[in-house]
Amino acid sequence: MRGREVVWFNSIGLTDIPQVGGKNASLGEMVRSLSARGVRVPNGFATTADAYRAFIEANGLEPVIREQLDRYHSGAASLRETGQNLREAFLAGEFPAAIAEDIRVYYRTLSKDAEVPNLPVAVRSSATAEDLPDASFAGQQETFLNVSGERDLLDACRRCYASLFTDRAISYREVKKFDHLDVALSIGVQRMVRSDLAGSGVMFSIDTDTGFPGAAVISAAWGLGETVVQGAVDPDKYLVFKTLLDEEDYEPIIEKTLGRKDRKMTYAEGGSARTRVIDTPERERRAFVLSNTEIVQLGRWATIVEDHYGRAMDMEWAKDGLTGELFLVQARPETVHSQKSLTRFSVSRLTETGPLLVSGVAIGDSIASGTACVIRDPADIENFRDGAILVTEMTDPDWVPIMTRAAGIVTDHGGPTSHAAIVSRELGVPAVVGTRNATEVLTEDSPITISCAEGDEGIVYAGILASETEQIDLGAVPITRTQVMVNIASPAAAFEWWRLPTAGVGLARMEFIINNLIKIHPMALVHPERVTDPAVLRQITELTRGYADLGEYFVNTLALGIAKLGAPYYPHPVIVRLSDFKSNEYAHLIGGDVFEQAEENPMLGFRGASRYYDAKYAEGFALECRALKRVRERIGFSNVIVMVPFCRTTTEADRVLAVMAENDLVRGENGLQVYMMCEIPANVILAEQFATRFDGFSIGSNDLTQLVLGVDRDSGDLAALFDERNEAVLRMISEAIDKAHAAGIKIGICGQGPSNYPDFAEFLVGEGIDSISLNPDSFLKTVHRIKEAETAGAAGEWPQPARVTKPG
């Protein structure tokens, strides 16, 4: 390519990074190699490194660059002064005549092909050292949008060259130890996608929060994409489960979060400015930018791009409001999680707590403490104190020099793919973004702790709080005969522990999703007319905005929560327990007090199976069934098993199965398996009869212990009596295992016992239980005990507690 100063995208690829930089090489690679697979990329051309060096030589800039950098390194000039002088030198330069003419000719051809005179184009910088596997160079050089006409195009190109020496770019190269003179700059000139009339955003082929490789994460906002990249808006967030994208009948979307999107960038009308930022109309704020079909299409493109490049990728996309078409406008390597070990990771946790101040999206998974340094105006950046927690409205590349010195970062705006999020991950600095009001709530010099170790929600607490970090090594996890599964309640927790080599989810609790994500009593959604409190009605209206059918809000939110919870463990079984709130717990949901009666002993009252067929809750249960059907048949998680809790009699079992069938959840149809919680003495005594109605049992040791010993499991006064290892409980468990195996069905355990007491896990192994489901944080410790028990059992040397002596 040497000697060629301007080239079409379709003539370049990844081997041309030294000449056109990572960004333009990647655009060319996609145009040349992926167009045939349906990936749309707007056409364009690039200037090469030879053109940049010719510009440097023609304008005598090399000695100027050396002199200015020497002054900076010696301390004779500040970063700001150095950058300003170098940029002014570039802006005063002129393109060699031949190169300027080539740029004009290529631009005319691009306009002619598009049949648009003076075609609006995006002019992007592509440094020859950017988009490398371990350095994203996110936003270090400038991009100019809606550039039209030959004169403006050449001016934008000159400004791209000057942007190689912005303060942030100089600082970033210093941190990454790149020689400034070894870096050249290529300019990409690309047809503009009219996303100003639709939407745009960022997409990663890997979960940016946890590194889970099975999900693509998409951020979306109305208008041009710079607002998403900069973190100036709080975008929609979508997660797509890539493994199921090949199935045409499925829509494997596992998260849809509506962003506020209160501002958007559009084309400017009149004057010298090419773009402007305006308020987003209310109807757009309340609507998702992308349809499900479009989300799935982008997810498929993410998979295609990732497969072609052989690594996780960071992409930008845009939708043309005139044609309705989607385009990819950039692709580069993901630079954080792809560098991490799959078998070693750390888990942080707070060991004390304090008042919650603000919350937002967690970036990273660690914890940081320090004093708040609140900076509202970029002009005050120099006031930042090393080691403080940076609190600001948003960041852009100009903030990188102080982000490298911060213990943590908190922003008012932005999402998981914003500039603040991308750079924080790369620097290994925990951040909480999109808090809305951190700059108003957090005060200068106040001691605070930011925690990104509590799932996908990042929390800022008052005070300097103690924490601990555990190093996890999965390299030595033994293989066991007993299936070792995990108990999961939170979808965020499922993603946090995706690396665990489990046999699936032994207990997925629906209650967490209802309580923390849905928040509204299901019957209040079915019969909102019965809710009379205006304040409660306002809460319901706000939570369900965008839903004409309030029941659909419950179904969709529950379905997405279950799908996200199960995604990291696909295709292993995910056993989802139907709702098992007690009446007092249901009453605490929004609108719940209208539909729940006070009970003296709710632990033994209207709970579990008895609710599902009762007229007081049957319509709410129908929503649960609709959600499970959607998870299995539309989203695609056919590995989901439904489990019925607290089923007192065989007659009750029959009624529940009948109601499920009425709601299109038919045992055996489409491979649906239905399990029963074995947690009532009657379940054990009549196990042979229950076994004809269910495909498996899961022992709930908490309730079984409570009912065998007559001990309220929530009573502090009786805590010393509550012990799953009591011989009466052990006999019940042993009997249940024997009867299940005699009937030819599987049986596992999902109660707290095995997680709390390793010797209890050893007992279960001795009894031949099929699976043991553990809390994630006790998985590694207990799985080794399970392996030891299996080894000892094979040698006839059972550890304590010994196998129970069975009656007779």
Side-chain angles (χ1 to χ4, degrees), residues 16 33 51 198 202 209 366 552 605 621 641:
D16 300 310
S33 303
V202 176
D209 292 330
S366 58
E552 176 62 18
F621 181 64
I641 295 169

Side-chain angles (χ1 to χ4, degrees), residues 145-285:
L145 304 177
N146 192 27
V147 177
S148 182
E150 293 176 11
R151 178 182 298 177
D152 284 353
L153 173 58
L154 286 170
D155 180 65
C157 289
R158 189 182 298 108
R159 292 182 181 278
C160 282
Y161 281 171
S163 76
L164 193 59
F165 290 95
T166 58
D167 298 357
R168 70 209 183 212
I170 296 171
S171 177
Y172 194 89
R173 289 194 296 271
E174 292 281 326
V175 170
K176 292 292 182 179
K177 302 189 185 316
F178 281 92
D179 188 314
H180 300 276
L181 287 167
D182 284 346
V183 178
L185 193 126
S186 166
I187 301 164
V189 179
Q190 187 177 33
R191 177 179 178 175
M192 280 289 295
V193 176
R194 290 303 304 270
S195 58
D196 61 304
L197 303 176
S200 52
V202 176
M203 174 168 64
F204 285 79
S205 66
I206 190 172
D207 178 54
T208 50
D209 292 330
T210 66
F212 174 54
V217 57
I218 303 168
S219 294
W222 299 109
L224 302 173
E226 292 303 292
T227 57
V228 178
V229 175
Q230 294 168 358
V233 297
D234 304 315
D236 294 345
K237 177 187 175 184
Y238 317 117
L239 272 179
V240 185
F241 185 54
K242 296 187 299 184
T243 305
L244 294 173
L245 282 170
D246 289 338
E247 303 290 338
E248 292 294 332
D249 295 336
Y250 293 155
E251 283 186 348
I253 300 166
I254 59 176
E255 182 180 336
K256 285 182 68 175
T257 301
L258 187 68
R260 291 189 297 278
K261 308 183 297 288
D262 48 0
R263 307 274 283 167
K264 69 175 181 177
M265 182 179 286
T266 66
Y267 284 4
E269 298 175 1
S272 59
R274 302 183 182 95
T275 62
R276 61 176 180 154
V277 177
I278 62 174
D279 290 337
T280 306
E282 183 66 22
R283 60 180 176 78
E284 291 185 346
R285 296 186 196 189

Side-chain angles (χ1 to χ4, degrees), residues 510-511 513-515 517-526 540 543-544 547 549-562 578-579 581 586 589-590 617-628 630-631:
M510 195 180 283
E511 296 83 43
I513 299 171
I514 296 173
N515 193 54
L517 302 182
I518 297 173
K519 301 180 180 179
I520 304 170
H521 194 290
M523 292 300 291
L525 295 167
V526 177
I540 293 174
L543 285 168
T544 59
Y547 286 90
D549 176 2
L550 301 190
E552 176 62 18
Y553 164 75
F554 183 97
V555 172
N556 193 53
T557 308
L558 181 57
L560 291 173
I562 293 170
L578 296 166
S579 65
F581 280 131
Y586 268 117
L589 295 171
I590 295 171
Y617 187 74
E619 291 171 292
F621 181 64
L623 300 181
E624 295 183 30
C625 292
R626 280 172 53 190
L628 285 162
R630 182 171 300 179
V631 169

Side-chain angles (χ1 to χ4, degrees), residues 194-195 197-198 319-325:
R194 290 303 304 270
S195 58
L197 303 176
K319 180 180 177 180
D320 194 303
L322 297 177
T323 66
E325 294 177 306

Side-chain angles (χ1 to χ4, degrees), residues 34-341:
L34 300 182
S35 297
R37 298 184 64 183
V39 177
R40 284 190 292 269
V41 180
N43 195 22
F45 60 90
T47 67
T48 66
D50 286 345
Y52 172 79
R53 295 189 176 100
F55 185 95
I56 295 286
E57 183 177 353
N59 293 282
L61 291 175
E62 183 172 341
V64 176
I65 295 171
R66 290 189 184 279
E67 177 190 0
Q68 292 296 324
L69 290 174
D70 286 345
R71 294 186 71 237
Y72 170 58
H73 290 142
S74 68
S78 67
L79 174 63
R80 177 175 292 182
E81 180 184 357
T82 301
Q84 183 175 340
N85 290 341
L86 287 172
R87 293 191 297 275
E88 288 177 353
F90 273 88
L91 292 174
E94 293 291 342
F95 278 94
I99 295 176
E101 182 59 21
D102 280 349
I103 292 173
R104 295 189 191 99
V105 168
Y106 274 69
Y107 176 64
R108 291 170 197 156
T109 304
L110 193 64
S111 298
K112 181 179 178 182
D113 289 346
E115 300 180 346
V116 178
N118 291 324
L119 176 72
V121 291
V123 183
R124 303 180 185 275
S125 305
S126 178
T128 58
E130 72 177 359
D131 296 342
L132 301 176
D134 60 348
S136 70
F137 285 77
Q140 294 307 305
Q141 283 78 49
E142 298 286 359
T143 290
F144 301 93
L145 304 177
N146 192 27
V147 177
S148 182
E150 293 176 11
R151 178 182 298 177
D152 284 353
L153 173 58
L154 286 170
D155 180 65
C157 289
R158 189 182 298 108
R159 292 182 181 278
C160 282
Y161 281 171
S163 76
L164 193 59
F165 290 95
T166 58
D167 298 357
R168 70 209 183 212
I170 296 171
S171 177
Y172 194 89
R173 289 194 296 271
E174 292 281 326
V175 170
K176 292 292 182 179
K177 302 189 185 316
F178 281 92
D179 188 314
H180 300 276
L181 287 167
D182 284 346
V183 178
L185 193 126
S186 166
I187 301 164
V189 179
Q190 187 177 33
R191 177 179 178 175
M192 280 289 295
V193 176
R194 290 303 304 270
S195 58
D196 61 304
L197 303 176
S200 52
V202 176
M203 174 168 64
F204 285 79
S205 66
I206 190 172
D207 178 54
T208 50
D209 292 330
T210 66
F212 174 54
V217 57
I218 303 168
S219 294
W222 299 109
L224 302 173
E226 292 303 292
T227 57
V228 178
V229 175
Q230 294 168 358
V233 297
D234 304 315
D236 294 345
K237 177 187 175 184
Y238 317 117
L239 272 179
V240 185
F241 185 54
K242 296 187 299 184
T243 305
L244 294 173
L245 282 170
D246 289 338
E247 303 290 338
E248 292 294 332
D249 295 336
Y250 293 155
E251 283 186 348
I253 300 166
I254 59 176
E255 182 180 336
K256 285 182 68 175
T257 301
L258 187 68
R260 291 189 297 278
K261 308 183 297 288
D262 48 0
R263 307 274 283 167
K264 69 175 181 177
M265 182 179 286
T266 66
Y267 284 4
E269 298 175 1
S272 59
R274 302 183 182 95
T275 62
R276 61 176 180 154
V277 177
I278 62 174
D279 290 337
T280 306
E282 183 66 22
R283 60 180 176 78
E284 291 185 346
R285 296 186 196 189
R286 293 181 173 270
F288 286 110
V289 174
L290 294 174
S291 69
N292 284 4
T293 300
E294 291 167 334
I295 294 168
V296 170
Q297 180 177 341
L298 284 176
R300 290 195 173 112
W301 285 0
T303 303
I304 290 170
V305 172
E306 181 180 67
D307 288 346
H308 179 76
Y309 285 76
R311 59 175 301 117
M313 297 295 290
D314 166 3
M315 293 150 279
E316 294 180 24
W317 62 271
K319 180 180 177 180
D320 194 303
L322 297 177
T323 66
E325 294 177 306
L326 291 170
F327 292 88
L328 290 187
V329 296
Q330 192 172 134
R332 53 181 170 246
E334 191 276 337
T335 60
V336 178
H337 291 292
S338 57
Q339 306 298 308
K340 292 183 177 179
S341 168

Side-chain angles (χ1 to χ4, degrees), residues 649-699:
T649 68
T650 54
T651 300
E652 189 163 66
D654 292 336
R655 296 187 70 176
V656 170
L657 291 170
V659 171
M660 288 175 60
E662 290 169 8
N663 288 288
D664 296 324
L665 278 181
V666 181
R667 179 188 170 206
E669 193 172 283
N670 297 317
L672 174 63
Q673 294 185 61
V674 183
Y675 281 19
M676 183 192 76
M677 289 286 291
C678 186
E679 55 189 342
I680 301 171
N683 299 151
V684 179
I685 295 167
L686 301 178
E688 300 94 339
Q689 296 178 40
F690 282 108
T692 63
R693 293 163 168 83
F694 295 100
D695 300 289
F697 294 157
S698 184
I699 298 167

